[in-house]
Amino acid sequence: MPSTENSISDKIEELEQEMKAAGLWQKQSPDWVNNFDEKIIFSGNDFAHWLQFVFMPNHINSDMGISYTKEKKMIVPAAIKFFGDDVQKGKLLQLLIEIDALL
């Protein structure tokens, strides 16, 4: 049986592939990633950038194990807010549901 860490790593890799397929993957991070305290996420593109440049690296490079906070943070409610009616993001939302379940 695979460990939860491997499952999360696998899901993060799937998430990357799905973001690329959906045209959401960027080669360079936006300026706000380095000045995150000044940015409020307003759009689906901002959310996709947050997934790529903040969320994913935190889980890929985490030495602290799976849960890096005591409080469980759900990604899916934010994803639905930004991608809700876009049926093309269905697989992306499904992957985020699976990641939420593993965290």
Side-chain angles (χ1 to χ4, degrees), residues 19-83:
M19 288 179 71
K20 287 177 179 177
L24 297 172
W25 195 259
Q26 301 294 311
K27 291 184 182 197
Q28 292 187 301
S29 65
D31 290 334
W32 69 262
V33 170
N34 295 319
N35 299 312
F36 60 88
D37 56 338
E38 300 171 12
K39 178 67 176 173
I40 297 172
I41 296 176
F42 286 111
S43 72
N45 281 341
D46 289 343
F47 181 73
H49 292 154
W50 176 83
L51 278 175
Q52 180 180 349
F53 296 107
V54 178
F55 175 79
M56 293 171 68
N58 283 339
H59 286 282
I60 291 170
N61 299 321
S62 175
D63 293 330
M64 300 169 65
I66 293 156
S67 180
Y68 59 93
T69 63
K70 291 180 183 177
E71 184 180 326
K72 185 171 180 160
K73 305 279 185 187
M74 302 294 285
I75 306 163
V76 174
I80 290 171
K81 177 180 176 182
F82 295 111
F83 300 136

Side-chain angles (χ1 to χ4, degrees), residues 4-19 47 50-52 55-60 66-68 72-77 79 91-103:
T4 305
E5 285 187 44
N6 287 338
S7 297
I8 290 173
S9 296
D10 293 344
K11 290 297 173 189
I12 296 291
E13 287 179 26
E14 285 182 57
L15 181 59
E16 178 181 339
Q17 294 306 311
E18 185 58 28
M19 288 179 71
F47 181 73
W50 176 83
L51 278 175
Q52 180 180 349
F55 175 79
M56 293 171 68
N58 283 339
H59 286 282
I60 291 170
I66 293 156
S67 180
Y68 59 93
K72 185 171 180 160
K73 305 279 185 187
M74 302 294 285
I75 306 163
V76 174
K91 176 142 171 95
L92 181 65
L93 288 172
Q94 180 60 42
L95 284 167
L96 292 173
I97 290 168
E98 293 170 15
I99 289 169
D100 269 357
L102 292 170
L103 295 177

